Amino acid sequence: MGVEGQSFLSGSGPWPLGGMVSRAGPTVSAKTSLEHSAVWGCVRKTAEMISTLPVDLFRKSANGSRDKIDSDLAEIIKENPNADQTAPEFWEGMVAQTLLQGNAFAEKLYIGNRFVGLRPMLGCKPDRRPDRAFQYVVIDRGKREVLPAEKVFHLRGFGAGDGLGMSVVRYGANSIGAALAADETASSVFSNSAMPSGVIQSDQTLNAGQRKQLEAMLATYSGSQRAGKLMTLEAGLKFQQLQMNPEDAQLLDTRRFSVEDICRWFGVPPIVIGHASEGQTMWGSGVEAILLSWLTLGINPFLIRLEQRLKKDLIPVQTRRRDYFEYNREAMIQMDSKAKGDLMLKLGMGGTMTANERRARLNLPRHDDANADALLMQTAMSPMELLGKDQS
């Protein structure tokens, strides 16, 4: 498989067929999992966050400084992974595959010996060879292809150390299956229940024809679109309302718990996907602390894993000790202008960054002042014995 024909390699679409049968009943696969809004929200938010963060290729110098490298490899990772996708689109899919299935795969594209791109391999199956190395089986235009490890970029999620990531769909099948079953039950209740819901009582015994007439009449009051419609009774019929609501059936509590349970599997705080726990608000310093915790404990470990895999699989061996990819974590706090302003101020006052270096972080043009490239230090503090004395 070369660079010709940029259509994605796939045997059965982006998500494989089959799945795990949960104890609650529904079959749980990557595809059916995404039908639950909490799974969709967790995967989408994490994938969008990671895929849109700036990333650059750096080279360490002998004196400990580093320089940004503008190379073909950097362009592939940052802007143009293949002929069909932008970089955010490509990495969004890779992260989503990893989150749900534990692993994501892309074919390394070459022209001769020159690396020119990455192409997603959907429905790929890793296989151990007798020498313990991986080979990758994929269906390309109806034909079974086997690629060696050096031809594949393999992104792993959280795993047990065997070289493969573990699938949330597999290990979380019972939690996700229970959530799907609760949604299905709730949908059935609201689509099939009569509104108003209750029983019809009569002192007389109805014959078969009368029962059919009564059932036909009740059908005109079923469904959410007919809720509140006035019901007319005659011939001694009496209606008794039944108090059957989601709280009594524990559907609301079950569905609320299922959202929080699914969020635990993906390491995403419920507030990120728009779900507030009981008594929690959707704004304030508490929410800000939760988001920072997610960035630290959820997003950052994934970024480190991705940086290390880029280095190991894509950077040539001869430059691997000094070249590396790094994501800009500061972009994750762009929404907090106060925190970013305080950070820039401290970096400047402490002599850590020059004014032009800070302006570059803010996407501002360089300043022509000579002091803009100088490291400055806050010097207002003095020993107590010197206070009030002329130090000139």
Side-chain angles (χ1 to χ4, degrees), residues 208-282:
Q210 290 172 328
R211 292 188 184 206
K212 289 184 178 180
Q213 290 177 352
L214 182 58
E215 290 174 357
M217 180 191 72
L218 291 177
T220 63
Y221 297 93
S222 298
S224 58
Q225 293 180 345
R226 302 180 181 89
K229 184 176 180 181
L230 184 64
M231 181 181 290
T232 303
L233 298 177
E234 55 186 347
L237 294 176
K238 297 179 181 179
F239 175 74
Q240 179 180 351
Q241 186 172 2
L242 299 179
Q243 296 299 320
M244 176 63 181
N245 53 51
E247 285 82 1
D248 293 336
Q250 296 184 339
L251 280 177
L252 280 183
D253 287 339
T254 299
R255 298 182 74 193
R256 181 183 298 112
F257 172 78
S258 68
V259 172
E260 297 170 7
D261 195 30
I262 287 173
C263 285
R264 274 192 290 270
W265 282 99
F266 288 97
V268 175
I271 200 74
V272 171
I273 64 171
H275 175 86
S277 301
E278 189 172 354
Q280 182 183 21
T281 64
M282 295 288 288

Side-chain angles (χ1 to χ4, degrees), residues 20-38:
M20 304 286 293
V21 179
S22 65
R23 295 192 184 101
T27 298
V28 179
S29 65
K31 183 177 184 298
T32 59
S33 297
L34 287 171
E35 295 175 3
H36 193 280
S37 62

Side-chain angles (χ1 to χ4, degrees), residues 35 39 49 92 117 139 145 202 235 297 308-309 328 364 371:
E35 295 175 3
V39 177
M49 168 65 79
E92 190 174 70
I139 305 300
E145 297 281 353
S202 175
L297 302 177
Q308 293 293 321
R309 182 51 55 184
N328 182 5
L364 296 175
N371 291 324

Side-chain angles (χ1 to χ4, degrees), residues 8-305:
F8 300 157
L9 307 184
S10 173
S12 57
W15 310 112
L17 300 177
M20 304 286 293
V21 179
S22 65
R23 295 192 184 101
T27 298
V28 179
S29 65
K31 183 177 184 298
T32 59
S33 297
L34 287 171
E35 295 175 3
H36 193 280
S37 62
V39 177
W40 179 278
C42 289
V43 174
R44 176 189 169 191
K45 293 295 185 181
T46 304
E48 288 181 339
M49 168 65 79
I50 293 173
S51 64
T52 55
L53 284 177
V55 59
D56 285 297
L57 178 61
F58 294 96
R59 174 166 294 170
K60 293 183 291 186
S61 61
N63 62 3
S65 64
R66 66 177 188 175
D67 299 312
K68 189 182 298 185
I69 302 175
D70 186 13
S71 65
D72 291 341
L73 175 59
E75 182 183 358
I76 291 170
I77 301 304
K78 296 169 52 178
E79 300 177 8
N80 189 28
N82 55 62
D84 294 310
Q85 294 177 301
T86 64
E89 292 167 350
F90 173 80
W91 291 112
E92 190 174 70
M94 293 290 287
V95 174
Q97 295 273 347
T98 306
L99 291 172
L100 283 169
Q101 301 181 152
N103 301 273
F105 311 94
E107 182 192 8
K108 298 178 185 177
L109 304 176
Y110 290 89
I111 295 179
N113 294 325
R114 185 166 64 93
F115 174 63
V116 296
L118 291 167
R119 178 170 55 185
M121 297 201 310
L122 307 179
C124 178
K125 179 183 178 182
D127 185 35
R128 286 281 191 186
R129 299 187 316 196
D131 61 357
R132 303 299 297 165
F134 278 115
Q135 62 183 11
Y136 299 88
V137 181
V138 68
I139 305 300
D140 181 23
R141 294 181 288 270
K143 182 181 178 182
R144 183 178 183 270
E145 297 281 353
V146 179
L147 295 177
E150 58 268 21
K151 296 287 188 180
V152 175
F153 176 75
H154 179 183
L155 180 60
R156 287 97 160 160
F158 169 71
D162 62 348
L164 293 173
M166 294 190 290
S167 169
V168 168
V169 169
R170 177 181 177 185
Y171 289 93
N174 288 325
S175 294
I176 298 174
L180 292 173
D183 276 3
E184 184 178 350
T185 301
S187 298
S188 177
V189 167
F190 289 114
S191 64
N192 295 325
S193 293
M195 302 229 179
S197 180
V199 295
I200 302 295
Q201 295 179 329
S202 175
D203 296 333
Q204 302 177 7
T205 301
L206 304 180
N207 58 38
Q210 290 172 328
R211 292 188 184 206
K212 289 184 178 180
Q213 290 177 352
L214 182 58
E215 290 174 357
M217 180 191 72
L218 291 177
T220 63
Y221 297 93
S222 298
S224 58
Q225 293 180 345
R226 302 180 181 89
K229 184 176 180 181
L230 184 64
M231 181 181 290
T232 303
L233 298 177
E234 55 186 347
L237 294 176
K238 297 179 181 179
F239 175 74
Q240 179 180 351
Q241 186 172 2
L242 299 179
Q243 296 299 320
M244 176 63 181
N245 53 51
E247 285 82 1
D248 293 336
Q250 296 184 339
L251 280 177
L252 280 183
D253 287 339
T254 299
R255 298 182 74 193
R256 181 183 298 112
F257 172 78
S258 68
V259 172
E260 297 170 7
D261 195 30
I262 287 173
C263 285
R264 274 192 290 270
W265 282 99
F266 288 97
V268 175
I271 200 74
V272 171
I273 64 171
H275 175 86
S277 301
E278 189 172 354
Q280 182 183 21
T281 64
M282 295 288 288
W283 58 277
S285 58
V287 173
E288 180 182 345
I290 292 174
L291 293 177
L292 291 176
S293 174
W294 175 52
L295 298 177
T296 302
L297 302 177
I299 300 298
N300 191 57
F302 199 108
L303 292 177
I304 295 174
R305 182 181 292 115

